[in-house]
Amino acid sequence: MGNQNATSAVPAPRALLSHATRETLSNYVYLLPAAICLGGTVLFPILKAIHMSLYYNVLIKPQEYRFIGLGNYVRMVQDPTFWLTLRNSFTWVFWSVSLQFFFGFLVALILNGQFKGRAIFRTINLLPWIIPGVVVALIWEYIYQPNYGPLNDLLRRAGLMREPVAWLSNLNLVMPAVVFTNIWRGIPFFTIMILAGLQAIPEEIYEAATVDGAGVIQRFWSVTLPMLRPIIVVSTATRIIWTFNYADLIFVMTGGGPANATQITSTYTLMQAYSDLDWGYAASLSVILLVIMLTFTALYLKLTKGVESVAG
Amino acid sequence: MKTRGLGDPLERFLGGPVLWGGLVLATLFAMGPFVWVFLASIKTRTELYAMPIQYLPTHPTFQNYVEAWTSRLTPFSRFFANSLWVSSVTMVATIVISTLAGYALARFRFVGKNTLMLVFLATQMFPAVLLIAPLLSQWHALGLIDTYQALIYSNFSFTVPFTVWMLVGYFESIPRELEESAMIDGSGRFGALLRIIVPLAAPGIAATAIFAFVSSWSELLFATTFTTRTDMRTLSAGLLYMVGQYEIQWGQLGAGVMISTIPVAILFIFLQKHLIRGLTAGALKG
């Protein structure tokens, strides 16, 4: 089949390579484009980032560019803002993901019901998830705007508020405000995942439980939840990693401020690069982000009993 | 579908008033912000800054759209074209690359296959901020700053791992016998892939294609970092630029937001069935 194989980029002389070897080589050719892509845009850049993290590299001080070994990492350990960003990341991830999960689950249960116009309601409820992050950020910046934004106005009309509140510049309110925005954005993710899980549960199991006298609440605890366990684990873990890495929303809405109140580790990395122009320190922060992410992924794979069960 | 347990009063309560109440609340919450921004985008200047807030425009106008679209400082027509081009090319190239790789991983036996799958999984979870600094210096060295190539190549870093991962699952679900008989009939492996596998996996390929398009359309950090010229910005980068540059013009910004949202929303409305099936297939098997 060698001469008919259109992609065989290895027209090796017969004498040198056996048929089997040639086929193996031509098999690798299929992987070549993907390998080049990921080599050039992921693998090489990561090595480069590690390399950059070992240098003093502040763009406005090119004359001071030099190798400093682990200097950036030492600075990180001593940097109170870095530890603050880790705590903020935890708050951001914990509240975002747990509430996205809770409300996403509720919406999935609702949308799994049988009623007229279900398709339209489904589409509407999933829309916040599909739109660009910067769009989400700007929409909510407008909603939170103290004078022209609708949130203060609605709260005042409802008699819940007297003085207008500057949601995104108040130290105590800014984190809840960005988390709330992220919840709005992320609910559909869990809705989609759990809805798919709900629809995969065979109707017979519910019928059997009903025959056994299980009420609606019991059926939820003894059938629905256990059957959804795999998809809950997979979607929550994916979401935790994604939220931890996600910088767009905070970057656009507050830039990590005021006074680092919403500075999570990924936005701190960005600010180091864009505002302080300290690319060495930014690189070392991003390497630590990678290490945290890899540790979590390893734990997660162990939890789901290895890649096989995820890959199917 | 059978209706179960209709005699249970609690279930009837949950399936009736609670279901409808929840549905209305959830839908209002999901739609409210869009409605607000859409209304803002068709308000006149006076209406935008009226005190107290005026929710409905008395003189609806598309002036904000015209201004955003033709503005010389923030030309949304140009941003739109850039986004469309970058996302489309990313999508097509990603599909070609990932179809080949996904097929190889689904069909061939070779050393390190499981490790490779693990790499594709882990790569999906890499933080974008990790890649920004090294990619910037890389594109700079290659003279690719302010080019579409830099944005398209960078987008591969997140589209390719995910689509390969998805397509492996699709290809594995297609019986081997189908392409084997085609190969006996004289097609090469590549011919069998094109004529048998690709048509059968079309829904899956479509879903991953939409994913690649939508995620490229939303991409912000690469687009702001690897472009410096206004005429090279995508919609996401252009919106950010608009905010950073002047005092926020909420009317024009609202128009820009709608311009950025409508294409992906339309795509989603028409193709959500495929997209959702594609995105959840991997997780469901777990």
Side-chain angles (χ1 to χ4, degrees):
Chain A
M1 63 160 265
N3 55 344
Q4 285 151 348
N5 191 332
T7 58
S8 179
V10 198
R14 263 148 214 253
L16 286 175
L17 294 170
S18 72
H19 179 76
T21 319
R22 259 185 299 139
E23 193 167 309
T24 313
L25 282 177
S26 82
N27 288 351
Y28 278 108
V29 170
Y30 285 79
L31 285 174
L32 204 59
I36 293 171
C37 266
L38 294 187
T41 63
V42 180
L43 193 68
F44 181 73
I46 287 176
L47 296 175
K48 174 88 185 157
I50 295 171
H51 180 253
M52 285 173 86
S53 75
L54 302 176
Y55 284 79
Y56 182 86
N57 183 5
V58 180
L59 295 194
I60 41 168
K61 299 180 195 160
Q63 70 283 0
E64 289 180 40
Y65 178 82
R66 63 181 192 281
F67 180 78
I68 54 167
L70 295 177
N72 284 318
Y73 295 92
V74 173
R75 177 180 156 197
M76 194 188 306
V77 176
Q78 295 165 346
D79 178 4
T81 312
F82 168 67
W83 296 105
L84 173 71
T85 65
L86 279 184
R87 277 199 301 279
N88 284 344
S89 288
F90 181 81
T91 312
W92 160 254
V93 171
F94 178 82
W95 289 108
S96 295
V97 175
S98 57
L99 293 173
Q100 282 171 5
F101 174 78
F102 180 76
F103 289 107
F105 205 133
L106 280 184
V107 176
L109 287 174
I110 291 169
L111 290 177
N112 196 40
Q114 314 227 335
F115 51 87
K116 267 197 179 147
R118 192 167 65 162
I120 300 164
F121 280 111
R122 245 180 226 189
T123 308
I124 292 174
N125 276 284
L126 301 183
L127 268 182
W129 177 66
I130 206 83
I131 62 174
V134 59
V135 167
V136 176
L138 293 176
I139 290 179
W140 282 87
E141 239 184 287
Y142 193 9
I143 290 173
Y144 289 135
Q145 213 282 336
N147 304 318
Y148 311 112
L151 182 61
N152 278 344
D153 186 66
L154 290 173
L155 288 174
R156 214 159 12 175
R157 281 177 203 231
L160 295 169
M161 178 198 278
R162 289 192 164 191
E163 289 301 304
V165 169
W167 296 92
L168 295 179
S169 26
N170 182 310
L171 284 175
N172 298 316
L173 294 174
V174 64
M175 185 58 109
V178 290
V179 166
F180 192 81
T181 305
N182 199 24
I183 292 168
W184 181 77
R185 213 253 158 124
I187 287 175
F189 170 80
F190 281 107
T191 303
I192 288 172
M193 288 296 180
I194 288 167
L195 199 52
L198 285 171
Q199 287 170 347
I201 301 175
E203 189 73 8
E204 295 82 50
I205 303 184
Y206 284 116
E207 279 163 19
T210 313
V211 170
D212 289 346
V216 61
I217 306 284
Q218 277 160 300
R219 283 201 303 268
F220 178 77
W221 287 108
S222 59
V223 178
T224 313
L225 264 191
M227 293 292 282
L228 288 178
R229 206 191 88 92
I231 202 162
I232 288 174
V233 172
V234 172
S235 53
T236 311
T238 323
R239 201 62 186 174
I240 289 173
I241 294 172
W242 192 85
T243 309
F244 182 74
N245 291 335
Y246 188 55
D248 295 17
L249 217 56
I250 292 180
F251 179 64
V252 178
M253 287 179 83
T254 67
N260 289 327
T262 51
Q263 199 72 275
I264 60 172
T265 316
S266 55
T267 54
Y268 188 48
T269 310
L270 280 181
M271 299 316 283
Q272 285 300 321
Y274 293 152
S275 301
D276 298 3
L277 297 175
D278 191 339
W279 290 77
Y281 193 46
S284 66
L285 282 165
S286 69
V287 170
I288 291 302
L289 272 179
L290 177 69
V291 171
I292 295 173
M293 188 285 303
L294 284 177
T295 315
F296 186 86
T297 310
L299 282 174
Y300 152 67
L301 287 175
K302 216 166 209 168
L303 198 71
T304 56
K305 294 178 202 84
V307 67
E308 288 303 326
S309 65
V310 192
Chain B
M1 286 279 120
K2 282 184 188 165
T3 44
R4 44 185 142 82
L6 270 179
D8 190 341
L10 177 64
E11 186 160 1
R12 244 179 307 163
F13 179 64
L14 285 177
V18 174
L19 179 99
W20 282 101
L23 189 65
V24 169
L25 278 181
T27 308
L28 281 179
F29 182 56
M31 270 322 271
F34 287 116
V35 174
W36 166 255
V37 169
F38 171 69
L39 290 176
S41 74
I42 55 169
K43 283 181 197 166
T44 62
R45 230 181 132 60
T46 4
E47 290 165 348
L48 278 166
Y49 298 101
M51 280 294 183
I53 289 181
Q54 187 181 344
Y55 283 86
L56 294 173
T58 29
H59 308 286
T61 167
F62 282 99
Q63 192 56 31
N64 290 315
Y65 288 85
V66 175
E67 277 169 23
W69 192 255
T70 56
S71 159
R72 292 180 65 198
L73 289 165
T74 54
F76 271 83
S77 46
R78 179 76 196 192
F79 298 160
F80 189 89
N82 289 341
S83 275
L84 197 61
W85 177 248
V86 169
S87 307
S88 307
V89 177
T90 304
M91 174 181 80
V92 172
T94 300
I95 287 309
V96 173
I97 294 163
S98 310
T99 301
L100 291 172
Y103 179 72
L105 285 166
R107 282 293 189 267
F108 306 149
R109 295 162 174 278
F110 44 78
V111 191
K113 183 168 146 180
N114 278 342
T115 320
L116 256 179
M117 288 300 283
L118 203 61
V119 168
F120 282 117
L121 179 70
T123 314
Q124 292 169 40
M125 297 166 180
F126 284 175
V129 293
L130 170 69
L131 301 175
I132 284 175
L135 281 179
L136 178 66
S137 75
Q138 187 171 315
W139 302 143
H140 200 79
L142 295 170
L144 290 179
I145 298 301
D146 281 326
T147 63
Y148 293 122
Q149 288 100 302
L151 300 186
I152 292 163
Y153 297 156
S154 308
N155 285 348
F156 289 156
S157 69
F158 58 87
T159 57
V160 169
F162 183 81
T163 46
V164 169
W165 183 262
M166 293 304 312
L167 288 175
V168 170
Y170 277 106
F171 292 149
E172 274 173 349
S173 68
I174 296 170
R176 273 163 195 271
E177 293 75 38
L178 289 173
E179 74 214 87
E180 270 158 15
S181 62
M183 279 157 71
I184 291 165
D185 291 347
S187 294
R189 212 178 234 298
F190 187 69
L193 167 64
L194 275 190
R195 256 169 293 155
I196 309 290
I197 301 295
V198 168
L200 282 173
I205 294 176
T208 49
I210 306 161
F211 165 83
F213 185 89
V214 169
S215 52
S216 311
W217 186 271
S218 304
E219 203 288 320
L220 170 70
L221 297 179
F222 294 153
T224 41
T225 316
F226 307 145
T227 58
T228 57
R229 287 186 359 225
T230 308
D231 64 331
M232 286 307 294
R233 293 185 196 281
T234 61
L235 281 169
S236 283
L239 278 169
L240 187 65
Y241 174 71
M242 190 177 186
V243 176
Q245 215 64 5
Y246 321 98
E247 196 195 337
I248 300 182
Q249 305 285 332
W250 290 111
Q252 270 195 45
L253 198 77
V257 160
M258 296 313 292
I259 291 170
S260 312
T261 303
I262 286 166
V264 281
I266 290 174
L267 209 57
F268 181 67
I269 288 166
F270 283 109
L271 302 164
Q272 60 155 322
K273 242 188 201 156
H274 287 308
L275 186 65
I276 290 170
R277 202 181 304 145
L279 291 176
T280 51
L284 267 181
K285 276 186 276 166

